[in-house]
Amino acid sequence: MTKTQQAEIRVVGVVQGIGFRPFIYSQAIKHQLLGYVLNTGNSAVKIIVEGEKNNIIDFIDSIERDKPFLAVIDSIQTIWRSSTNGFTDFQIHISKNEEKAGGSIIPADIAVCEDCIKDMSNPHSRHYQYPMTCCAICGPRYTTITDTPYDRERTTMVDFPLCEDCSAEFNNPLNRRYNAQTICCPKCGPEFRLINSEGLVVDATDVFQETVKLLNKGKIVAIKGLGGIHLAVRAELEEEVQRLRKLRNKPHKPLAIMSPNLDAIKQYARVNDTAKQLLLSWRRPIVVLEKIKKFQLAPSLAPGLDTIGVMLPYSGIYLRLFDGLQDVALVMTSANPVGLPTIIHANTFQERFMKMADFFLTHNRTIYQRCDDSVVIPTNDQTLIIRRSRGYTPEPINTANMGPPILALGALEKNTGAIYHKKRIFLTQHIGDVDTIETLQYLQESLSQLQKLLRISSFDAIACDLHPDFLTTQYAEKLAKEQKIPLVQVQHHHSHLAALLADHQLPMDEEIIAICCDGAGYGPDNTIWGGEILAGNAREYQRVGYLEPHPMPGGDLAAQYPFRMLMGILSKKYSQTKLERVFQKEAKKALPQGQMELQNVITQTYQKINTPLTSSTGRILDALAALLQVSYKRTYEGEPAIRFEAYANSGKNNPKVHLEIPVTRQESSYLLDTGTLVDQVFQQRSDIQGPDLALAAHLTLGQALANIAVQSANARGLNRIGFSGGVAYNKILTKTIRDAVELEGLTFLLHRNVPPGDAGTSVGQSLVARSQII
């Protein structure tokens, strides 16, 4: 008789909420093993098996080899024991809430799978046309879970007890809904209602069919989804899109749209292989695509841009909206007012914001964690994350450095928070601009949820930005004082450098060159940085190059009205009289108060009244956008620079264009004379096509930044050069810098899993803080 053994197996990683326990069950049966499997409170899975040792070994090998496609296994630990012969079968046990701090977490929300879509489309299925249909490998996760271990009673589905049919599927090991915590059906699941603008329930046999009829008539419908509330309207109706913009107070910011399938998307946008893979992925982000020349949708969807943000339906809720719709796309934009977090409560929307919609399609399942749609942009041969939220959160960033728990609060704009734990950094979902009490509270709540899921009782340090006026900085100071732990304030662009290290799993003491370009970051010299070439690691850095600082007439007004920035730059080259004479006609369009404001701006500049200096790359691009009459006002973050890139994309390499950026040595740093670049564009704008000048300006700036970075790397014997900051989303600049760096045989680092913009600063802050804790 063959001797049996027992093994206790602990699997750590992303292994809860993805059908992992049913997978273990099937593998145990296959390998003729007895015992049980259960989830633990720290997001690991514990398995006890008894059987022949060779079978157990094969079983352990199969866990890594054949795991579910969403599973991420970090470690498998096995303890061998003598068999107790105490089992007669293999079972899935009720989860055990072990309070020991964990190192992993449940997955993000998962797009509805093809099998569930088939169920929804099958008239003979009891899931026919039911919007909340899901199974063990798809459906809501992070937005619905209240705590770990991941079981129904710790999700918002606790309010919906399983009916007899769903319970049978849940308990049937041969069913794909076996042990799936969020399953439901029309009998036992959430219910939908359609409400009009007066708050009255619309009497309809099928509220989705009624909603589609309303959309076809041009109505704006608010829709409660998985992580928030959207506003939807037909994307071909220009007048209705403009009406939505007015109601939403979004005059020019690009609106995301949703289409039912790839064929529909190809009618208005270009879809390459990378974009196709992203669109069809289980994450289902908004993917920024190039518009086709004959763009047939409403022009005001993305005014002044050659791109459009598109996503495919990720829930049955959205799939049903396209059944009978007359368009290939719907606008699908968040319903939150400017300055407030995504709305998740139906009552809040009805009572305070119903004026933004004609109708409201809602359901009675609670959204526990609000979560915006993620946004990504395919660039060259990789993908950059603009907004890291649904489909990504709370998936961690793996690092090369073990460390204690550290809390990082990020900066101001497009913010996220982060928790450094062991060798991982966990980001919150997209928070937005933390310039109101409401968004600060949202950041606090999101970090508290992560802390609870990770079973972290306290932090060893708190990290934040260097800027003293940020709400995040002030809150970090308060927390550090209350908890009596170190406060680490990190210079903005140093955090960008450190984020590159974390994103590429490089040791925190490894030195690199980082080109950090964005709109603004508080410098240690009390000026506004934003065009920096840094040499350093997580612990320290040196500013080895930077763009020429220019005055910002009116301070923040120069960022809102880039013509002001242009005057500040050209004031170094021309007299007050000439600037007034040359630009008096343009000032009528470029400034709210026209010529009178122009005179005030120029006087302000020459007398140095409220003209803080900035080395910002964003402000240079803004000024060039104003100079070439591309954009005169910023209505959303980065608008002039984004429009300027779109304008440059239509340009050609014109041999008649002559642009340069002189470089001088300033003590230990290189100074790039961007004033000369702007002046040269000014002098040539009458003779050269605007798009050609715009393209040349991009190429010249990118090459100049790369040249200084390469020189600095060679001088220090370094072989890695990275590009970070919000300007790294600019494809022309990124490609120019990359080509120049790789031509010299050096390694180019671009972000992969961390947003290059300010949404990634919390990652860098946490690593800098880690480097300062012994």
Side-chain angles (χ1 to χ4, degrees):
M1 185 175 180
T2 304
K3 185 178 180 181
T4 62
Q5 283 197 266
Q6 183 184 103
E8 178 180 329
I9 305 162
R10 186 179 181 84
V11 184
V12 178
V14 181
V15 290
Q16 292 193 22
I18 54 172
F20 194 78
R21 285 182 293 176
F23 160 73
I24 292 297
Y25 178 93
S26 64
Q27 291 297 313
I29 300 301
K30 179 181 177 181
H31 290 84
Q32 300 178 350
L33 302 177
L34 308 177
Y36 64 87
V37 58
L38 58 79
N39 283 342
T40 64
N42 58 3
S43 297
V45 167
K46 179 180 177 181
I47 308 162
I48 301 292
V49 290
E50 288 191 355
E52 294 183 15
K53 185 171 183 178
N54 287 340
N55 289 354
I56 295 177
I57 292 172
D58 290 342
F59 166 74
I60 295 171
D61 291 341
S62 75
I63 295 175
E64 175 62 46
R65 184 183 64 245
D66 303 323
K67 65 182 183 292
F69 74 98
L70 291 172
V72 178
I73 295 177
D74 300 312
S75 66
I76 300 176
Q77 301 167 342
T78 305
I79 300 174
W80 293 94
R81 302 189 182 100
S82 299
S83 175
T84 62
N85 295 316
F87 304 107
T88 58
D89 58 7
F90 191 88
Q91 299 179 358
I92 294 179
H93 278 192
I94 296 173
S95 300
K96 185 177 180 181
N97 195 354
E98 297 179 359
E99 293 298 328
K100 180 182 175 182
S104 57
I105 204 165
I106 59 159
D109 287 7
I110 306 166
V112 59
C113 70
E114 289 300 318
D115 286 333
C116 285
I117 293 174
K118 289 177 182 177
D119 285 345
M120 286 183 60
S121 305
N122 181 4
H124 302 292
S125 169
R126 64 190 190 86
H127 293 280
Y128 180 55
Q129 293 189 333
Y130 184 59
M132 293 293 194
T133 299
C134 64
C135 68
I137 63 166
C138 74
R141 297 293 189 272
Y142 188 63
T143 53
T144 188
I145 189 171
T146 59
D147 202 355
T148 55
Y150 175 63
D151 286 303
R152 195 179 186 90
E153 60 265 30
R154 284 176 288 275
T155 75
T156 58
M157 290 301 293
V158 69
D159 298 326
F160 305 95
L162 293 173
C163 66
E164 185 177 345
D165 290 333
C166 284
S167 181
E169 289 186 333
F170 185 88
N171 291 293
N172 180 2
L174 301 179
N175 193 287
R176 76 173 198 280
R177 294 190 173 93
Y178 178 50
N179 213 249
Q181 304 302 322
T182 57
I183 63 168
C184 56
C185 73
K187 289 183 181 179
C188 61
E191 298 175 345
F192 286 78
R193 294 189 305 164
L194 183 62
I195 301 169
N196 65 21
S197 58
E198 297 176 353
L200 300 177
V201 177
V202 176
D203 185 15
T205 304
D206 187 325
V207 294
F208 280 87
Q209 289 180 0
E210 188 65 26
T211 299
V212 173
K213 291 178 183 178
L214 293 169
L215 289 168
N216 282 334
K217 292 177 181 178
K219 300 299 183 181
I220 298 172
V221 181
I223 300 162
K224 182 180 177 182
L226 300 186
I229 296 173
H230 285 106
L231 294 176
V233 72
R234 285 173 57 190
E236 290 184 10
L237 303 180
E238 173 64 17
E239 185 176 337
E240 299 309 321
V241 173
Q242 290 281 15
R243 183 166 73 94
L244 184 147
R245 282 193 173 281
K246 186 175 181 180
L247 292 169
R248 180 65 175 76
N249 193 24
K250 265 186 176 182
H252 298 111
K253 189 174 183 178
L255 298 173
I257 61 177
M258 178 182 284
S259 284
N261 50 53
L262 287 177
D263 288 338
I265 295 174
K266 290 176 182 178
Q267 295 183 43
Y268 57 81
R270 301 184 188 281
V271 181
N272 60 24
D273 290 342
T274 302
K276 178 180 177 180
Q277 184 177 1
L278 289 166
L279 287 164
L280 293 174
S281 72
W282 62 268
R283 301 183 192 277
R284 288 290 199 282
I286 296 170
V287 182
V288 180
L289 303 176
E290 181 185 351
K291 297 176 183 175
I292 64 172
K293 290 184 178 180
K294 294 182 179 179
F295 187 72
Q296 299 296 323
L297 303 182
S300 62
L301 288 172
L305 303 184
D306 56 356
T307 56
I308 185 77
V310 188
M311 59 180 158
L312 290 173
Y314 51 87
S315 162
I317 297 172
Y318 304 103
L319 282 168
R320 289 219 54 197
L321 297 178
F322 290 97
D323 187 7
L325 190 76
Q326 294 174 3
D327 279 1
V328 296
L330 286 171
V331 172
M332 200 63 67
T333 187
S334 59
N336 57 299
V338 176
L340 294 179
T342 298
I343 302 169
I344 58 175
H345 300 295
N347 289 342
T348 300
F349 183 80
Q350 284 182 250
E351 294 169 4
R352 298 178 57 189
F353 308 113
M354 192 65 199
K355 63 182 180 180
M356 290 193 290
D358 301 314
F359 292 87
F360 182 23
L361 178 63
T362 184
H363 59 77
N364 60 341
R365 194 194 77 200
T366 301
I367 299 173
Y368 191 73
Q369 279 291 310
R370 65 190 87 214
C371 212
D372 284 281
D373 297 315
S374 295
V375 184
V376 301
I377 179 168
T379 173
N380 302 322
D381 60 346
Q382 65 183 90
T383 301
L384 291 179
I385 300 175
I386 297 176
R387 182 197 296 164
R388 191 179 189 275
S389 207
R390 178 191 51 77
Y392 291 87
T393 304
E395 188 176 292
I397 306 298
N398 294 317
T399 76
N401 310 278
M402 182 67 73
I406 296 169
L407 180 67
L409 298 182
L412 171 67
E413 294 175 342
K414 301 176 182 177
N415 201 37
T416 63
I419 292 177
Y420 196 118
H421 183 52
K422 297 186 177 179
K423 293 186 72 173
R424 292 193 177 94
I425 300 173
F426 294 84
L427 275 78
T428 67
Q429 63 272 49
H430 168 76
I431 301 298
D433 297 349
V434 186
D435 52 6
T436 64
I437 296 300
E438 290 85 354
T439 50
L440 178 61
Q441 184 178 0
Y442 177 23
L443 175 65
Q444 295 167 351
E445 292 170 351
S446 299
L447 285 168
S448 293
Q449 173 70 349
L450 276 180
Q451 182 180 355
K452 179 174 72 172
L453 294 175
L454 291 168
R455 299 293 190 265
I456 296 174
S457 59
S458 63
F459 295 102
D460 283 29
I462 295 177
C464 65
D465 196 87
L466 192 63
H467 201 299
D469 295 334
F470 286 175
L471 289 180
T472 50
T473 302
Q474 295 166 7
Y475 178 58
E477 292 171 342
K478 177 176 177 290
L479 277 181
K481 184 177 181 180
E482 290 175 351
Q483 299 180 18
K484 298 180 181 180
I485 56 177
L487 174 67
V488 180
Q489 291 189 259
V490 184
Q491 197 281 324
H492 192 81
H493 301 96
H494 186 202
S495 70
H496 280 306
L497 181 155
L500 278 169
L501 291 175
D503 204 357
H504 287 267
Q505 292 185 258
L506 295 173
M508 60 187 178
D509 58 353
E510 175 146 348
E511 186 176 358
I512 64 170
I513 300 293
I515 303 171
C516 302
C517 297
D518 57 12
Y522 191 70
D525 57 358
N526 299 321
T527 66
I528 305 167
W529 288 17
E532 316 304 318
I533 303 172
L534 306 181
N537 53 32
R539 180 179 292 275
E540 57 187 0
Y541 71 94
Q542 180 184 356
R543 192 187 196 191
V544 297
Y546 59 99
L547 302 189
E548 174 189 7
H550 295 290
M552 296 177 65
D556 288 343
L557 280 175
Q560 186 176 2
Y561 297 99
F563 197 80
R564 283 176 167 265
M565 193 70 223
L566 176 63
M567 294 301 98
I569 295 171
L570 292 180
S571 67
K572 297 181 178 181
K573 302 291 183 180
Y574 299 99
S575 68
Q576 182 172 349
T577 303
K578 182 170 182 178
L579 288 181
E580 290 179 355
R581 175 173 54 83
V582 171
F583 289 103
Q584 58 180 333
K585 290 184 179 180
E586 288 182 40
K588 294 179 181 179
K589 298 182 295 181
L591 297 170
Q593 304 301 319
Q595 294 182 16
M596 180 181 69
E597 185 172 350
L598 173 64
Q599 293 173 355
N600 291 338
V601 168
I602 293 176
T603 299
Q604 186 179 34
T605 302
Y606 281 92
Q607 293 184 6
K608 299 182 179 179
I609 301 172
N610 189 20
T611 54
L613 295 177
T614 180
S615 59
S616 166
T617 311
R619 299 294 80 83
I620 294 296
L621 297 173
D622 288 355
L624 289 168
L627 178 59
L628 295 180
Q629 302 180 22
V630 174
S631 179
Y632 289 130
K633 183 180 179 179
R634 185 194 71 187
T635 64
Y636 60 88
E637 182 61 31
E639 179 180 3
I642 294 170
R643 285 188 175 221
F644 187 56
E645 180 189 3
Y647 187 65
N649 283 333
S650 63
K652 300 177 181 178
N653 280 305
N654 190 331
K656 295 182 180 180
V657 181
H658 299 289
L659 302 178
E660 65 173 344
I661 297 180
V663 177
T664 57
R665 188 76 172 172
Q666 299 288 325
E667 297 179 353
S668 59
S669 301
Y670 292 100
L671 176 68
L672 285 74
D673 181 2
T674 48
T676 294
L677 172 68
V678 175
D679 182 33
Q680 290 172 344
V681 173
F682 167 59
Q683 293 181 40
Q684 297 177 56
R685 69 174 183 163
S686 299
D687 304 318
I688 305 294
Q689 291 288 326
D692 294 353
L693 274 174
L695 177 60
H698 275 87
L699 298 175
T700 303
L701 178 59
Q703 188 65 52
L705 289 166
N707 288 344
I708 300 305
V710 169
Q711 290 181 39
S712 301
N714 289 335
R716 288 167 172 74
L718 305 177
N719 64 355
R720 289 189 174 96
I721 295 176
F723 189 25
S724 188
V727 177
Y729 294 120
N730 187 302
K731 291 184 180 181
I732 304 174
L733 286 173
T734 297
K735 186 177 186 305
T736 303
I737 294 171
R738 179 176 190 163
D739 289 349
V741 168
E742 293 181 344
L743 184 64
E744 297 298 321
L746 302 176
T747 300
F748 180 70
L749 304 179
L750 193 62
H751 285 283
R752 304 177 300 186
N753 301 306
V754 177
D758 284 3
T761 57
S762 60
V763 172
Q765 290 171 1
S766 68
L767 188 64
V768 171
R770 165 64 189 90
S771 73
Q772 297 183 17
I773 296 177
I774 306 301

